Amino acid sequence: MRAGQMFTSDLVASMVIFLTVLNLGFFAIQQSVTGQSQFNEQKRMSQQAYQTGDLLVRTPGYPADWNRSTVRIVGLASEDQVLNNTKLSELRLIDDYTAQREALGVLPSEIVINVSRNGSTVEVPGQNGAGGLGDGAVAVLAGGGDAVADHAFIDALNSSEVTWDLYWSSSEEGGLDALTARSVYDHTTDRAAMADDMFGNLSDVDYRTVLAEDAGVTVDDVAAEGELSSFIEEGGTLVHGGPDPAFIRDLFDLGPTSSGETSGFVRETGPVLNEGLEEGDALEFASAPMAFDGADAVYVNGTTEPGCLVCRWSIGAGQVFYVADTHMSGGGQSVFTDGTAAFSGDMRLVFGSPVPDDATQVAVSSRSVIVNSVDGLQRARLRVIVWR
Amino acid sequence: MSTSRPSREGQTALEFLAMMVFLMILFTGTYSVLGERQTAAVERQVDLQAAAVADRIGYELDLALTQGEGYSREFELRETIGGSSYNVTVQNGTVALEWAESMTFASTAVRGIDGNVTPGRNELYNTGEEIEVTG
């Protein structure tokens, strides 16, 4: 029996062409609808960024004398149109990043707010414990073979009113009971357990600052290195003192580095330096494992070799400090601050979580503001960036 | 006597039927998938419109609250959401916007208002004790 004449080669070819064109048409319609949806999403985030910026810069917030506990609407304006430094400090002191987002009314989006001038983040005098090395509770990681009394960080905090916890792994056990620490996590000689405990607590405990002195922590020890990076980027402070600075070099990609020299001079005073040191003073460190280039702020430079021995990097909304050694050669005065003035120094005006490279939606709102900065009254730019 | 013509007609009809069935299956499947995606996308757009309106209301109320007694402002809201009318309630720090059979929320520091926020033009006035709204 001969076949019918429906499925000819002409028909098959025309069906293939027709279906291809039809599918392309459907695909184009689908893309258009998806694009419209993304446009509306972007528009909503732009509206959110604009409204947040407006409330921050044009209003004093609610109640007008709000603080970190009473805030219902965050506003930073004062009567003379200058951003209120007390309220900037209180914004920094709001419990954590999620609470900040809730107070700013941007949940579930992420946010970063910065105030800058000529490309540099503006700094203002911190108040009520904001600024300097941070505020809130401090976590101290201490190891090596030194006794409690030989750790400059512990010495400074023990006579302060700052809330602090100690994570201990030194081989010397004595003196732990006499400390003013809120909690002591004793992991004598077990450096890895100390690091695990501390970094595991980062997201659960109210720490703002981590001080690591002779902790001997390496990148391999840090089981929760993602937690530490997030902690810094969202406004935390890390101060690394003493040996094994390769930890911060590798974790935060700092450098380049060179061998440190023990002789240095004070280029600029800063929150980690002893209050008795002044610009130009010569220092002789007990040791200097490494010197860094490319830091954002240099407090102590090597005398003959380039590279900083006490320096700071800004990472996201937070900061990382390096102190080659907290002790001077021959003992005597500590390199590190001996008081808690360090915990309420200047405050960088950046809040929130920086925008990652893989953010899918970003909306920016920018305002001209007047700020009473560490350099006096200045006009600056406040940017609100809402992202997902 | 030849019998080929009736056989060819029968075969042609069968092939035509097979092709029609195939095309119907293909188009039904394609339209159903595309239709579902388009519906979801349009629903998402409407949800975003509603959320933007709720955010706007929250913002206007917060602005009125922070500016204190005597502050007054007129603002305009869209008349419909997704072609449907909508209504707004403000209670205990939440702006609730209801349309068709859906709802969205925004936050505000204002606990309650005197009056109702409505589609179209609204005027806010801060009396010092509360926020009055006339629409």
Side-chain angles (χ1 to χ4, degrees):
Chain A
M1 181 174 68
R2 282 168 61 186
Q5 297 299 301
M6 284 301 301
F7 282 122
T8 59
S9 55
D10 292 346
L11 177 68
V12 171
S14 64
M15 274 178 65
V16 167
I17 294 170
F18 173 71
L19 288 172
T20 303
V21 169
L22 196 66
N23 279 333
L24 283 173
F26 285 153
F27 180 72
I29 292 170
Q30 179 62 34
Q31 287 295 100
S32 167
V33 171
T34 303
Q36 181 66 28
S37 183
Q38 284 177 348
F39 172 75
N40 283 340
E41 184 83 51
Q42 181 69 34
K43 195 172 155 188
R44 185 188 172 206
M45 288 183 66
S46 296
Q47 178 182 299
Q48 212 170 28
Y50 174 83
Q51 289 170 358
T52 302
D54 219 36
L55 287 171
L56 281 175
V57 171
R58 289 179 54 195
T59 79
Y62 189 81
D65 58 349
W66 66 268
N67 59 44
R68 75 198 85 158
S69 306
T70 63
V71 62
R72 283 163 62 186
I73 302 171
V74 177
L76 302 172
S78 57
E79 285 181 3
D80 54 3
Q81 303 304 309
V82 176
L83 292 187
N84 185 306
N85 283 358
T86 301
K87 289 180 177 173
L88 284 164
S89 296
E90 290 297 319
L91 175 59
R92 171 60 52 80
L93 293 172
I94 290 175
D95 282 339
D96 56 31
Y97 173 53
T98 300
Q100 284 180 343
R101 288 191 291 156
E102 189 175 355
L104 289 161
V106 297
L107 280 174
S109 302
E110 313 288 334
I111 190 169
V112 57
I113 300 169
N114 69 57
V115 181
S116 62
R117 178 183 159 83
N118 297 332
S120 298
T121 302
V122 172
E123 292 188 2
V124 299
Q127 298 179 24
N128 302 328
L133 289 184
D135 39 69
V138 176
V140 178
L141 284 162
D146 290 337
V148 163
D150 294 328
H151 285 271
F153 291 170
I154 295 175
D155 205 31
L157 287 165
N158 207 39
S159 54
S160 74
E161 292 181 4
V162 175
T163 301
W164 65 288
D165 295 338
L166 175 63
Y167 294 80
W168 179 256
S169 72
S170 170
S171 51
E172 290 288 330
E173 288 190 62
L176 293 180
D177 295 333
L179 298 175
T180 60
R182 176 176 62 179
S183 301
V184 176
Y185 299 84
D186 186 2
H187 295 285
T188 302
T189 71
D190 193 344
R191 184 197 68 215
M194 173 193 70
D196 269 351
D197 210 357
M198 195 268 129
F199 293 119
N201 278 349
L202 262 185
S203 57
D204 297 329
V205 186
D206 58 342
Y207 298 133
R208 293 277 186 169
T209 308
V210 174
L211 307 179
E213 185 177 3
D214 291 344
V217 174
T218 67
V219 174
D220 295 331
D221 286 333
V222 182
E225 63 180 84
E227 294 276 353
L228 180 59
S229 298
S230 298
F231 169 78
I232 300 297
E233 288 190 356
E234 291 173 10
T237 297
L238 170 66
V239 180
H240 187 284
D244 301 322
F247 163 58
I248 56 169
R249 179 197 64 193
D250 296 338
L251 190 60
F252 299 105
D253 199 22
L254 305 176
T257 59
S258 54
S259 299
E261 58 174 309
T262 55
S263 299
F265 68 95
V266 178
R267 199 164 123 177
E268 184 186 330
T269 58
V272 292
L273 283 183
N274 194 291
E275 288 77 5
L277 293 170
E278 294 177 351
E279 282 182 28
D281 282 355
L283 297 181
E284 193 65 36
F285 289 88
S287 68
M290 202 176 272
F292 285 85
D293 284 326
D296 294 325
V298 176
Y299 302 107
V300 175
N301 219 67
T303 302
T304 55
E305 300 289 333
C308 63
L309 300 168
V310 179
C311 25
R312 171 177 71 79
W313 295 264
S314 301
I315 296 175
Q319 47 194 354
V320 173
F321 291 86
Y322 166 64
V323 180
D325 197 312
T326 52
H327 298 97
M328 303 273 206
S329 170
Q333 185 183 44
S334 165
V335 174
F336 188 66
T337 175
D338 59 8
T340 56
F343 298 96
S344 57
D346 299 333
M347 179 176 69
R348 293 176 64 242
L349 293 186
V350 57
F351 311 88
S353 180
V355 183
D357 292 336
D358 58 353
T360 52
Q361 303 271 2
V362 181
V364 183
S365 170
S366 180
R367 297 278 195 289
S368 177
V369 294
I370 300 174
V371 173
N372 193 3
S373 76
V374 295
D375 298 316
L377 276 180
Q378 291 180 326
R379 186 164 286 281
R381 199 109 209 127
L382 181 144
R383 277 186 189 81
V384 175
I385 305 172
V386 177
W387 62 273
R388 289 195 188 181
Chain B
M1 186 170 69
S2 165
T3 59
S4 62
R5 192 185 297 275
S7 295
R8 271 210 296 279
E9 282 177 358
Q11 185 65 24
T12 300
L14 277 174
E15 288 179 359
F16 179 75
L17 190 64
M19 185 188 73
M20 284 298 114
V21 167
F22 169 71
L23 284 175
M24 279 177 62
I25 291 171
L26 187 72
F27 284 131
T28 303
T30 305
Y31 275 124
S32 293
V33 167
L34 195 67
E36 256 178 51
R37 286 189 183 178
Q38 283 198 323
T39 302
V42 168
E43 277 175 2
R44 176 78 186 133
Q45 282 188 32
V46 171
D47 287 346
L48 287 171
Q49 274 179 11
V53 171
D55 284 347
R56 174 83 190 277
I57 295 167
Y59 161 71
E60 294 290 348
L61 290 172
D62 285 350
L63 197 55
L65 188 65
T66 58
Q67 296 301 314
E69 185 179 351
Y71 174 84
S72 144
R73 177 171 157 98
E74 275 189 16
F75 64 98
E76 192 100 17
L77 296 174
R78 57 187 308 129
E79 294 288 346
T80 60
I81 288 176
S84 305
S85 61
Y86 63 93
N87 59 62
V88 179
T89 49
V90 179
Q91 208 169 18
N92 295 327
T94 301
V95 175
L97 192 151
E98 199 173 349
W99 83 101
E101 288 176 353
S102 302
M103 213 161 181
T104 191
F105 302 93
S107 65
T108 174
V110 173
R111 294 291 178 226
I113 56 174
D114 179 15
N116 292 309
V117 177
T118 56
R121 180 171 289 181
N122 290 269
E123 183 176 352
L124 295 182
Y125 180 71
N126 187 333
T127 65
E129 290 178 1
E130 61 185 356
I131 308 293
E132 271 181 8
V133 183
T134 46

